[in-house]
Amino acid sequence: MTRGPTLPAHRLPCLPKPLDAFNAAPADEADALLRRCLRNPRWSRRITAHRPYPDLESLLAAADEAAYDLSAAEMAGALAGEPLPELPADTYSAAHTALSAAHAAYESRFGHTFVIYLGDTPPDESPDRVLEAIRSRLANDPEEERVTAAEELRRLARSRLAAYLRGTGPCGSAGPRGATSHNAAAPGA
């Protein structure tokens, strides 16, 4: 039995890469995406205005530079918009109580929410890491803590943006995690 001619391989359409889509997106869409990574309008507008970016590293460098330029008031606004990650379902109520008390002490001392980049910390270790960090950072003087919080927020924004542009999810919902005030709004709120 002879077979007929072989059909050419079916090719899927070439879908744009996330960076290409970001570069080509309308300014309001790019700005909205960036604000899910760091809640500051000047930061997001600055990054949006300098598109297109040739590669992810260039975009992340621009995001870092824009974050370093935030004023204390802009940083406070960005910190106020940070959500608290969900604690693992089996977290003891004592851990919730200890974290709530630590957050309250931190906010009372520094006047802004606590933020930390958790990176690759396993979810079941997050409460301990957050509690340890809050207690440690309570010893900082206010200026030292402002610098530390700004760096943690910059790292969170950078990792959220990288996660989105690597296709692992929208900013704030996948990839690197952070922790902030127990009273913060939910992502996207």
CSV table of all heavy atoms in Angstrom, one decimal, residues 80-136:
chain,number,residue,atom,x,y,z
A,80,ALA,N,1.7,51.5,51.6
A,80,ALA,CA,0.4,51.4,52.0
A,80,ALA,C,-0.5,50.5,51.1
A,80,ALA,O,-1.5,49.9,51.6
A,80,ALA,CB,-0.3,52.8,52.1
A,81,GLY,N,-0.1,50.3,49.9
A,81,GLY,CA,-0.8,49.4,49.0
A,81,GLY,C,-0.4,48.0,48.9
A,81,GLY,O,-0.9,47.2,48.2
A,82,GLU,N,0.6,47.6,49.7
A,82,GLU,CA,1.1,46.3,49.7
A,82,GLU,C,0.1,45.3,50.4
A,82,GLU,O,-0.3,45.5,51.5
A,82,GLU,CB,2.5,46.2,50.4
A,82,GLU,CG,3.6,46.7,49.5
A,82,GLU,CD,3.7,45.8,48.2
A,82,GLU,OE1,3.9,44.6,48.4
A,82,GLU,OE2,3.7,46.3,47.1
A,83,PRO,N,-0.2,44.2,49.7
A,83,PRO,CA,-1.0,43.1,50.4
A,83,PRO,C,-0.2,42.2,51.2
A,83,PRO,O,1.0,42.0,51.0
A,83,PRO,CB,-1.6,42.4,49.2
A,83,PRO,CG,-0.5,42.5,48.1
A,83,PRO,CD,0.1,43.9,48.3
A,84,LEU,N,-0.9,41.6,52.2
A,84,LEU,CA,-0.3,40.5,53.0
A,84,LEU,C,-0.5,39.2,52.3
A,84,LEU,O,-1.6,38.9,51.9
A,84,LEU,CB,-0.9,40.5,54.4
A,84,LEU,CG,-0.3,39.5,55.3
A,84,LEU,CD1,1.1,40.0,55.8
A,84,LEU,CD2,-1.2,39.3,56.5
A,85,PRO,N,0.5,38.4,52.1
A,85,PRO,CA,0.3,37.0,51.5
A,85,PRO,C,-0.5,36.2,52.5
A,85,PRO,O,-0.5,36.4,53.7
A,85,PRO,CB,1.7,36.5,51.4
A,85,PRO,CG,2.5,37.1,52.4
A,85,PRO,CD,1.9,38.5,52.5
A,86,GLU,N,-1.2,35.3,51.9
A,86,GLU,CA,-2.0,34.3,52.7
A,86,GLU,C,-1.1,33.4,53.5
A,86,GLU,O,-0.1,32.9,52.9
A,86,GLU,CB,-2.9,33.5,51.9
A,86,GLU,CG,-4.0,34.3,51.2
A,86,GLU,CD,-5.0,33.5,50.4
A,86,GLU,OE1,-5.2,32.3,50.8
A,86,GLU,OE2,-5.6,34.0,49.5
A,87,LEU,N,-1.4,33.2,54.7
A,87,LEU,CA,-0.6,32.3,55.5
A,87,LEU,C,-1.1,30.9,55.2
A,87,LEU,O,-2.3,30.7,54.8
A,87,LEU,CB,-0.9,32.5,57.0
A,87,LEU,CG,-0.3,33.8,57.6
A,87,LEU,CD1,-0.7,34.0,59.0
A,87,LEU,CD2,1.2,33.9,57.4
A,88,PRO,N,-0.2,29.9,55.3
A,88,PRO,CA,-0.6,28.5,55.1
A,88,PRO,C,-1.9,28.1,55.9
A,88,PRO,O,-2.0,28.6,57.1
A,88,PRO,CB,0.6,27.7,55.5
A,88,PRO,CG,1.7,28.6,55.3
A,88,PRO,CD,1.2,30.0,55.7
A,89,ALA,N,-2.8,27.3,55.4
A,89,ALA,CA,-4.0,27.0,56.0
A,89,ALA,C,-3.8,26.4,57.4
A,89,ALA,O,-4.6,26.6,58.3
A,89,ALA,CB,-4.8,26.0,55.2
A,90,ASP,N,-2.7,25.7,57.6
A,90,ASP,CA,-2.5,25.0,58.9
A,90,ASP,C,-1.7,25.9,59.9
A,90,ASP,O,-1.2,25.4,60.9
A,90,ASP,CB,-1.8,23.7,58.7
A,90,ASP,CG,-0.4,23.8,58.1
A,90,ASP,OD1,-0.1,24.9,57.5
A,90,ASP,OD2,0.4,22.8,58.1
A,91,THR,N,-1.6,27.2,59.6
A,91,THR,CA,-0.8,28.1,60.5
A,91,THR,C,-1.6,28.2,61.8
A,91,THR,O,-2.8,28.4,61.8
A,91,THR,CB,-0.6,29.5,59.9
A,91,THR,OG1,0.1,29.3,58.7
A,91,THR,CG2,0.1,30.4,60.8
A,92,TYR,N,-1.0,28.0,62.9
A,92,TYR,CA,-1.6,28.1,64.2
A,92,TYR,C,-2.1,29.5,64.5
A,92,TYR,O,-1.5,30.5,64.1
A,92,TYR,CB,-0.7,27.7,65.3
A,92,TYR,CG,-0.2,26.3,65.3
A,92,TYR,CD1,1.0,25.9,64.8
A,92,TYR,CD2,-1.1,25.2,65.6
A,92,TYR,CE1,1.4,24.6,64.7
A,92,TYR,CE2,-0.8,23.9,65.5
A,92,TYR,CZ,0.5,23.6,65.1
A,92,TYR,OH,0.9,22.3,65.0
A,93,SER,N,-3.2,29.6,65.3
A,93,SER,CA,-3.7,30.9,65.6
A,93,SER,C,-2.7,31.7,66.5
A,93,SER,O,-2.7,33.0,66.4
A,93,SER,CB,-5.0,30.8,66.4
A,93,SER,OG,-4.8,30.2,67.7
A,94,ALA,N,-1.9,31.1,67.2
A,94,ALA,CA,-0.8,31.8,67.9
A,94,ALA,C,0.1,32.5,67.0
A,94,ALA,O,0.6,33.6,67.3
A,94,ALA,CB,0.0,30.8,68.8
A,95,ALA,N,0.4,31.9,65.8
A,95,ALA,CA,1.2,32.6,64.8
A,95,ALA,C,0.5,33.8,64.3
A,95,ALA,O,1.2,34.9,64.1
A,95,ALA,CB,1.6,31.6,63.7
A,96,HIS,N,-0.8,33.7,64.0
A,96,HIS,CA,-1.5,34.9,63.6
A,96,HIS,C,-1.5,36.0,64.6
A,96,HIS,O,-1.3,37.2,64.3
A,96,HIS,CB,-3.0,34.5,63.3
A,96,HIS,CG,-3.2,33.7,62.0
A,96,HIS,ND1,-3.3,34.3,60.8
A,96,HIS,CD2,-3.3,32.4,61.9
A,96,HIS,CE1,-3.4,33.3,59.9
A,96,HIS,NE2,-3.4,32.1,60.5
A,97,THR,N,-1.7,35.7,65.9
A,97,THR,CA,-1.6,36.6,66.9
A,97,THR,C,-0.3,37.3,67.1
A,97,THR,O,-0.2,38.5,67.2
A,97,THR,CB,-2.0,36.0,68.3
A,97,THR,OG1,-3.3,35.4,68.1
A,97,THR,CG2,-2.0,37.0,69.4
A,98,ALA,N,0.8,36.5,67.0
A,98,ALA,CA,2.2,37.0,67.1
A,98,ALA,C,2.5,37.9,65.9
A,98,ALA,O,3.1,39.0,66.1
A,98,ALA,CB,3.2,35.9,67.2
A,99,LEU,N,2.1,37.5,64.7
A,99,LEU,CA,2.3,38.4,63.5
A,99,LEU,C,1.5,39.7,63.6
A,99,LEU,O,2.0,40.8,63.3
A,99,LEU,CB,2.0,37.6,62.3
A,99,LEU,CG,3.0,36.7,61.8
A,99,LEU,CD1,2.5,35.8,60.7
A,99,LEU,CD2,4.3,37.4,61.3
A,100,SER,N,0.3,39.6,64.1
A,100,SER,CA,-0.6,40.8,64.2
A,100,SER,C,0.1,41.8,65.2
A,100,SER,O,0.2,43.0,65.0
A,100,SER,CB,-2.0,40.5,64.7
A,100,SER,OG,-2.7,39.8,63.7
A,101,ALA,N,0.5,41.3,66.3
A,101,ALA,CA,1.2,42.1,67.3
A,101,ALA,C,2.5,42.7,66.8
A,101,ALA,O,2.8,43.9,67.0
A,101,ALA,CB,1.4,41.3,68.6
A,102,ALA,N,3.3,41.9,66.1
A,102,ALA,CA,4.5,42.4,65.6
A,102,ALA,C,4.3,43.5,64.5
A,102,ALA,O,5.0,44.5,64.5
A,102,ALA,CB,5.3,41.3,65.0
A,103,HIS,N,3.3,43.3,63.6
A,103,HIS,CA,2.9,44.3,62.6
A,103,HIS,C,2.5,45.6,63.3
A,103,HIS,O,2.9,46.7,62.9
A,103,HIS,CB,1.8,43.8,61.7
A,103,HIS,CG,2.3,42.9,60.6
A,103,HIS,ND1,3.0,43.4,59.5
A,103,HIS,CD2,2.1,41.6,60.4
A,103,HIS,CE1,3.2,42.4,58.7
A,103,HIS,NE2,2.7,41.3,59.2
A,104,ALA,N,1.7,45.5,64.3
A,104,ALA,CA,1.2,46.7,65.0
A,104,ALA,C,2.4,47.4,65.7
A,104,ALA,O,2.5,48.7,65.6
A,104,ALA,CB,0.2,46.3,66.1
A,105,ALA,N,3.3,46.7,66.3
A,105,ALA,CA,4.5,47.4,66.9
A,105,ALA,C,5.4,48.0,65.8
A,105,ALA,O,5.8,49.2,66.0
A,105,ALA,CB,5.3,46.3,67.7
A,106,TYR,N,5.5,47.4,64.7
A,106,TYR,CA,6.3,47.9,63.6
A,106,TYR,C,5.7,49.2,63.1
A,106,TYR,O,6.3,50.2,62.9
A,106,TYR,CB,6.5,46.9,62.5
A,106,TYR,CG,7.3,47.4,61.3
A,106,TYR,CD1,8.7,47.2,61.3
A,106,TYR,CD2,6.7,48.1,60.3
A,106,TYR,CE1,9.4,47.7,60.2
A,106,TYR,CE2,7.5,48.6,59.2
A,106,TYR,CZ,8.8,48.4,59.2
A,106,TYR,OH,9.6,48.9,58.2
A,107,GLU,N,4.4,49.1,62.8
A,107,GLU,CA,3.7,50.3,62.2
A,107,GLU,C,3.7,51.5,63.2
A,107,GLU,O,3.8,52.6,62.8
A,107,GLU,CB,2.3,49.9,61.8
A,107,GLU,CG,2.3,49.0,60.6
A,107,GLU,CD,0.9,48.5,60.1
A,107,GLU,OE1,-0.1,49.2,60.5
A,107,GLU,OE2,0.9,47.5,59.5
A,108,SER,N,3.6,51.2,64.5
A,108,SER,CA,3.6,52.2,65.5
A,108,SER,C,5.0,52.9,65.6
A,108,SER,O,5.1,54.1,65.7
A,108,SER,CB,3.2,51.6,66.9
A,108,SER,OG,3.4,52.5,67.9
A,109,ARG,N,6.0,52.1,65.5
A,109,ARG,CA,7.4,52.6,65.5
A,109,ARG,C,7.8,53.4,64.3
A,109,ARG,O,8.4,54.5,64.4
A,109,ARG,CB,8.4,51.5,65.8
A,109,ARG,CG,9.8,51.9,65.7
A,109,ARG,CD,10.7,51.2,66.6
A,109,ARG,NE,12.1,51.4,66.3
A,109,ARG,CZ,12.9,52.5,66.5
A,109,ARG,NH1,12.3,53.6,67.0
A,109,ARG,NH2,14.1,52.5,66.3
A,110,PHE,N,7.4,52.9,63.1
A,110,PHE,CA,7.9,53.5,61.9
A,110,PHE,C,6.9,54.3,61.1
A,110,PHE,O,7.3,55.0,60.2
A,110,PHE,CB,8.6,52.5,61.0
A,110,PHE,CG,9.8,51.8,61.6
A,110,PHE,CD1,9.8,50.5,62.1
A,110,PHE,CD2,10.9,52.6,61.9
A,110,PHE,CE1,10.9,49.9,62.7
A,110,PHE,CE2,12.1,52.0,62.5
A,110,PHE,CZ,12.0,50.7,62.9
A,111,GLY,N,5.6,54.1,61.4
A,111,GLY,CA,4.6,54.9,60.7
A,111,GLY,C,4.3,54.4,59.3
A,111,GLY,O,3.6,55.1,58.6
A,112,HIS,N,4.7,53.3,59.0
A,112,HIS,CA,4.4,52.7,57.7
A,112,HIS,C,4.3,51.2,57.8
A,112,HIS,O,4.8,50.6,58.9
A,112,HIS,CB,5.3,53.1,56.6
A,112,HIS,CG,6.7,52.7,56.8
A,112,HIS,ND1,7.2,51.4,56.5
A,112,HIS,CD2,7.8,53.4,57.3
A,112,HIS,CE1,8.5,51.3,56.8
A,112,HIS,NE2,8.9,52.5,57.3
A,113,THR,N,3.8,50.5,56.8
A,113,THR,CA,3.6,49.1,56.9
A,113,THR,C,5.0,48.4,56.7
A,113,THR,O,5.9,48.9,56.2
A,113,THR,CB,2.7,48.6,55.7
A,113,THR,OG1,3.2,49.1,54.5
A,113,THR,CG2,1.3,49.2,55.9
A,114,PHE,N,5.0,47.2,57.2
A,114,PHE,CA,6.2,46.3,57.1
A,114,PHE,C,6.1,45.6,55.7
A,114,PHE,O,5.1,45.2,55.3
A,114,PHE,CB,6.2,45.3,58.2
A,114,PHE,CG,7.3,44.3,58.1
A,114,PHE,CD1,8.6,44.7,58.6
A,114,PHE,CD2,7.1,43.0,57.6
A,114,PHE,CE1,9.6,43.8,58.5
A,114,PHE,CE2,8.2,42.1,57.5
A,114,PHE,CZ,9.4,42.5,57.9
A,115,VAL,N,7.3,45.5,55.1
A,115,VAL,CA,7.4,44.8,53.8
A,115,VAL,C,8.7,44.0,53.8
A,115,VAL,O,9.7,44.5,54.3
A,115,VAL,CB,7.3,45.8,52.6
A,115,VAL,CG1,8.5,46.8,52.6
A,115,VAL,CG2,7.2,45.0,51.3
A,116,ILE,N,8.6,42.8,53.2
A,116,ILE,CA,9.8,42.0,53.1
A,116,ILE,C,9.7,41.1,51.8
A,116,ILE,O,8.6,40.7,51.5
A,116,ILE,CB,10.0,41.1,54.3
A,116,ILE,CG1,11.3,40.3,54.2
A,116,ILE,CG2,8.8,40.2,54.5
A,116,ILE,CD1,11.7,39.5,55.5
A,117,TYR,N,10.7,41.0,51.2
A,117,TYR,CA,10.8,40.1,50.0
A,117,TYR,C,11.1,38.7,50.5
A,117,TYR,O,12.1,38.4,51.2
A,117,TYR,CB,11.9,40.5,49.0
A,117,TYR,CG,12.2,39.6,47.9
A,117,TYR,CD1,11.3,39.4,46.9
A,117,TYR,CD2,13.3,38.8,47.9
A,117,TYR,CE1,11.5,38.6,45.8
A,117,TYR,CE2,13.6,37.9,46.9
A,117,TYR,CZ,12.7,37.8,45.8
A,117,TYR,OH,13.0,36.9,44.8
A,118,LEU,N,10.1,37.8,50.2
A,118,LEU,CA,10.3,36.4,50.7
A,118,LEU,C,10.9,35.5,49.7
A,118,LEU,O,11.3,34.4,50.0
A,118,LEU,CB,8.9,35.9,51.2
A,118,LEU,CG,8.3,36.5,52.4
A,118,LEU,CD1,6.9,36.1,52.6
A,118,LEU,CD2,9.2,36.3,53.6
A,119,GLY,N,11.0,35.9,48.4
A,119,GLY,CA,11.7,35.1,47.4
A,119,GLY,C,11.3,33.6,47.4
A,119,GLY,O,10.1,33.3,47.2
A,120,ASP,N,12.3,32.8,47.6
A,120,ASP,CA,12.0,31.4,47.5
A,120,ASP,C,11.7,30.7,48.9
A,120,ASP,O,11.8,29.5,49.0
A,120,ASP,CB,13.3,30.7,46.9
A,120,ASP,CG,13.5,31.1,45.5
A,120,ASP,OD1,12.6,31.3,44.8
A,120,ASP,OD2,14.7,31.1,45.1
A,121,THR,N,11.4,31.5,49.9
A,121,THR,CA,11.0,31.0,51.2
A,121,THR,C,9.8,30.1,51.0
A,121,THR,O,8.8,30.5,50.5
A,121,THR,CB,10.7,32.1,52.2
A,121,THR,OG1,11.8,33.0,52.3
A,121,THR,CG2,10.4,31.5,53.6
A,122,PRO,N,9.9,28.8,51.5
A,122,PRO,CA,8.7,28.0,51.4
A,122,PRO,C,7.5,28.6,52.2
A,122,PRO,O,7.8,29.1,53.3
A,122,PRO,CB,9.2,26.6,52.0
A,122,PRO,CG,10.7,26.7,51.9
A,122,PRO,CD,11.0,28.1,52.0
A,123,PRO,N,6.3,28.4,51.7
A,123,PRO,CA,5.2,29.0,52.4
A,123,PRO,C,5.0,28.6,53.9
A,123,PRO,O,4.7,29.5,54.7
A,123,PRO,CB,4.0,28.5,51.6
A,123,PRO,CG,4.5,28.3,50.2
A,123,PRO,CD,5.9,27.8,50.4
A,124,ASP,N,5.4,27.4,54.2
A,124,ASP,CA,5.3,27.0,55.6
A,124,ASP,C,6.3,27.7,56.5
A,124,ASP,O,6.2,27.7,57.7
A,124,ASP,CB,5.3,25.5,55.7
A,124,ASP,CG,6.6,24.9,55.3
A,124,ASP,OD1,7.2,25.4,54.4
A,124,ASP,OD2,6.9,23.8,55.8
A,125,GLU,N,7.4,28.2,55.9
A,125,GLU,CA,8.4,28.9,56.7
A,125,GLU,C,8.2,30.4,56.7
A,125,GLU,O,8.8,31.2,57.5
A,125,GLU,CB,9.8,28.6,56.1
A,125,GLU,CG,10.2,27.2,56.3
A,125,GLU,CD,11.5,26.9,55.6
A,125,GLU,OE1,12.3,27.8,55.4
A,125,GLU,OE2,11.8,25.7,55.4
A,126,SER,N,7.2,30.9,55.9
A,126,SER,CA,7.0,32.4,55.8
A,126,SER,C,6.6,33.1,57.1
A,126,SER,O,7.2,34.1,57.4
A,126,SER,CB,6.0,32.7,54.7
A,126,SER,OG,6.4,32.3,53.5
A,127,PRO,N,5.7,32.5,57.9
A,127,PRO,CA,5.4,33.2,59.1
A,127,PRO,C,6.5,33.4,60.0
A,127,PRO,O,6.7,34.5,60.6
A,127,PRO,CB,4.3,32.3,59.8
A,127,PRO,CG,3.7,31.6,58.6
A,127,PRO,CD,4.8,31.4,57.7
A,128,ASP,N,7.4,32.4,60.2
A,128,ASP,CA,8.5,32.5,61.0
A,128,ASP,C,9.5,33.5,60.5
A,128,ASP,O,10.1,34.3,61.3
A,128,ASP,CB,9.2,31.1,61.2
A,128,ASP,CG,8.4,30.1,62.0
A,128,ASP,OD1,7.6,30.6,62.8
A,128,ASP,OD2,8.6,28.9,61.8
A,129,ARG,N,9.7,33.5,59.2
A,129,ARG,CA,10.7,34.5,58.6
A,129,ARG,C,10.2,35.9,58.8
A,129,ARG,O,11.0,36.8,59.1
A,129,ARG,CB,10.9,34.1,57.1
A,129,ARG,CG,11.7,35.1,56.4
A,129,ARG,CD,12.9,34.5,55.6
A,129,ARG,NE,13.7,35.6,55.1
A,129,ARG,CZ,13.7,36.0,53.8
A,129,ARG,NH1,12.9,35.4,53.0
A,129,ARG,NH2,14.5,37.0,53.4
A,130,VAL,N,8.9,36.1,58.5
A,130,VAL,CA,8.3,37.5,58.7
A,130,VAL,C,8.5,37.9,60.1
A,130,VAL,O,8.9,39.0,60.4
A,130,VAL,CB,6.9,37.5,58.2
A,130,VAL,CG1,6.2,38.8,58.6
A,130,VAL,CG2,6.8,37.2,56.7
A,131,LEU,N,8.1,37.1,61.1
A,131,LEU,CA,8.1,37.4,62.5
A,131,LEU,C,9.6,37.8,62.9
A,131,LEU,O,9.8,38.8,63.6
A,131,LEU,CB,7.5,36.3,63.3
A,131,LEU,CG,7.3,36.6,64.8
A,131,LEU,CD1,6.4,37.9,65.0
A,131,LEU,CD2,6.7,35.4,65.5
A,132,GLU,N,10.5,36.9,62.5
A,132,GLU,CA,11.9,37.2,62.8
A,132,GLU,C,12.4,38.5,62.2
A,132,GLU,O,13.1,39.3,62.9
A,132,GLU,CB,12.7,36.0,62.3
A,132,GLU,CG,14.2,36.2,62.4
A,132,GLU,CD,15.0,35.1,61.7
A,132,GLU,OE1,14.5,34.0,61.6
A,132,GLU,OE2,16.2,35.3,61.4
A,133,ALA,N,12.0,38.8,61.0
A,133,ALA,CA,12.5,40.0,60.3
A,133,ALA,C,11.9,41.2,61.0
A,133,ALA,O,12.5,42.2,61.2
A,133,ALA,CB,12.1,40.0,58.9
A,134,ILE,N,10.6,41.2,61.3
A,134,ILE,CA,10.0,42.3,62.0
A,134,ILE,C,10.7,42.6,63.3
A,134,ILE,O,11.0,43.7,63.6
A,134,ILE,CB,8.4,42.1,62.3
A,134,ILE,CG1,7.7,42.1,61.0
A,134,ILE,CG2,7.9,43.2,63.2
A,134,ILE,CD1,6.2,41.7,61.1
A,135,ARG,N,10.9,41.6,64.1
A,135,ARG,CA,11.5,41.7,65.4
A,135,ARG,C,12.9,42.3,65.3
A,135,ARG,O,13.3,43.2,66.0
A,135,ARG,CB,11.5,40.4,66.2
A,135,ARG,CG,10.1,40.0,66.7
A,135,ARG,CD,10.1,38.7,67.3
A,135,ARG,NE,8.8,38.4,67.9
A,135,ARG,CZ,8.4,37.2,68.3
A,135,ARG,NH1,9.2,36.2,68.1
A,135,ARG,NH2,7.2,37.0,68.7
A,136,SER,N,13.6,41.8,64.3
A,136,SER,CA,15.0,42.3,64.0
A,136,SER,C,15.0,43.7,63.6
A,136,SER,O,15.8,44.6,64.1
A,136,SER,CB,15.7,41.4,63.0
A,136,SER,OG,16.9,41.9,62.6
